[in-house]
C-alpha cells in the first residue's frame, strides 16, 4: 500500500474551511492509501500524545504555542516557524506522495526540502492579500510574491479552490503541465 503525507496547519478538532478540505481527502484517500497527517494542535492546546493511529491513518501533531495572530510580524514569525516544523516532521516519514495544504504560505518554499511527488492544495493566495499602504509593505509583498511564485514551480500538481486562483496561476505560467 502506498503512503501519502498530508501536511497541513489545520486539522481536527479545529473547525475551519481548511480542516473540512482535509477531511474530504482523508475520507477518500484512506480507502486506498496509508496516510500520515502532519498537523498542528490548536493554538495553546496541549495534546496527550503526539501521534494517533487508527486503521491505516497516522496523525502526527506538533504542539502550537498560543500567540497573538492579529499582529502581522508575530503571526508571520510563527507561520514560518511552524511551517518549517511541519515540513521537517514530514521528512521523517517515508511517503510516495506529499500533499501540502496552505493557507500557511511559508509551507510553499519550505517544501523544497521534501523529496518525491509533491502536490500543493491552495485554499488562498495569501501573499496577494498583504496590505500595500506603505513603501515597506510594498517591498515585503513583492519579495514574498517572488519567493512564492518561484517556489510554486517545484510542485508536480497544484489544486485550487476556484477559477480565480486557477487563472492567477495560469497567468503566471506556474501550473504544472498535465
Amino acid at each position: 500500500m502506498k503512503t501519502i503525507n498530508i501536511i497541513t496547519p489545520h486539522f481536527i478538532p479545529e473547525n475551519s474551511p481548511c480542516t473540512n478540505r482535509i477531511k474530504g481527502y482523508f475520507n477518500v484517500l484512506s480507502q486506498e492509501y496509508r496516510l500520515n497527517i502532519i498537523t498542528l494542535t490548536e493554538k495553546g492546546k496541549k495534546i496527550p500524545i503526539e501521534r494517533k493511529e487508527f486503521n491505516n491513518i497516522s496523525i502526527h501533531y506538533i504542539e502550537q504555542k498560543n500567540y497573538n495572530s492579529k499582529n502581522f510580524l508575530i503571526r508571520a514569525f510563527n507561520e514560518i516557524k511552524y511551517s518549517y516544523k511541519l515540513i521537517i516532521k514530514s521528512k521523517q516519514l517515508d511517503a510516495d506522495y506529499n500533499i501540502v495544504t496552505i493557507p500557511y504560505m511559508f509551507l510553499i518554499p519550505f517544501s523544497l526540502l521534501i523529496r518525491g511527488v509533491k502536490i500543493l492544495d491552495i485554499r488562498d493566495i495569501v501573499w496577494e492579500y498583504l496590505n500595500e499602504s506603505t513603501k515597506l509593505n510594498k517591498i515585503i509583498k513583492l519579495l514574498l510574491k517572488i519567493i512564492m511564485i518561484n517556489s510554486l514551480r517545484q510542485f508536480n500538481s497544484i489544486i485550487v479552490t476556484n477559477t480565480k486562483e486557477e487563472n492567477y496561476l495560469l497567468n503566471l505560467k506556474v501550473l504544472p503541465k498535465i
Side-chain angles (χ1 to χ4, degrees), residues 9-32:
H10 305 288
F11 193 62
I12 297 169
E14 187 174 328
N15 186 14
S16 71
C18 191
T19 300
N20 292 332
R21 283 177 64 84
I22 298 306
K23 282 186 209 174
Y25 290 154
F26 178 99
N27 291 333
V28 172
L29 295 173
S30 66
Q31 295 173 27
E32 295 189 32

Side-chain angles (χ1 to χ4, degrees), residues 25-139:
Y25 290 154
F26 178 99
N27 291 333
V28 172
L29 295 173
S30 66
Q31 295 173 27
E32 295 189 32
Y33 296 90
R34 186 176 310 110
L35 300 180
N36 288 316
I37 299 172
I38 301 100
T39 189
L40 301 175
T41 61
E42 289 182 272
K43 277 191 268 175
K45 303 276 180 158
K46 294 209 178 274
I47 53 166
I49 57 174
E50 291 181 13
R51 180 176 168 181
K52 294 182 181 179
E53 289 199 42
F54 50 98
N55 298 331
N56 57 338
I57 299 163
S58 183
I59 304 171
H60 302 265
Y61 287 102
I62 295 172
E63 188 176 317
Q64 182 178 202
K65 306 283 186 209
N66 202 3
Y67 62 88
N68 179 4
S69 58
K70 296 192 187 320
N71 179 306
F72 174 77
L73 289 176
I74 292 172
R75 181 178 178 170
F77 171 78
N78 280 286
E79 285 192 15
I80 290 168
K81 176 173 88 173
Y82 290 115
S83 293
Y84 181 75
K85 286 184 174 198
L86 288 165
I87 295 298
I88 293 304
K89 181 63 177 178
S90 74
K91 281 184 53 135
Q92 297 168 1
L93 305 167
D94 289 332
D96 300 288
Y97 305 98
N98 299 279
I99 300 175
V100 178
T101 68
I102 64 169
Y104 275 30
M105 70 179 148
F106 296 105
L107 283 168
I108 296 171
F110 283 134
S111 292
L112 285 165
L113 300 172
I114 300 172
R115 293 181 189 204
V117 177
K118 293 183 264 190
I119 301 162
L120 178 63
D121 175 33
I122 295 179
R123 188 176 62 85
D124 283 317
I125 300 176
V126 182
W127 57 92
E128 286 296 337
Y129 299 159
L130 296 174
N131 184 326
E132 294 183 76
S133 60
T134 67
K135 197 171 205 168
L136 178 61
N137 285 9
K138 285 180 185 178
I139 292 168

Side-chain angles (χ1 to χ4, degrees), residues 144-161:
L144 283 173
K145 187 174 181 177
I146 290 168
I147 291 167
M148 296 307 148
I149 290 169
N150 286 312
S151 297
L152 288 170
R153 291 183 172 88
Q154 69 176 303
F155 291 92
N156 300 89
S157 293
I158 299 176
I159 302 165
V160 295
T161 58

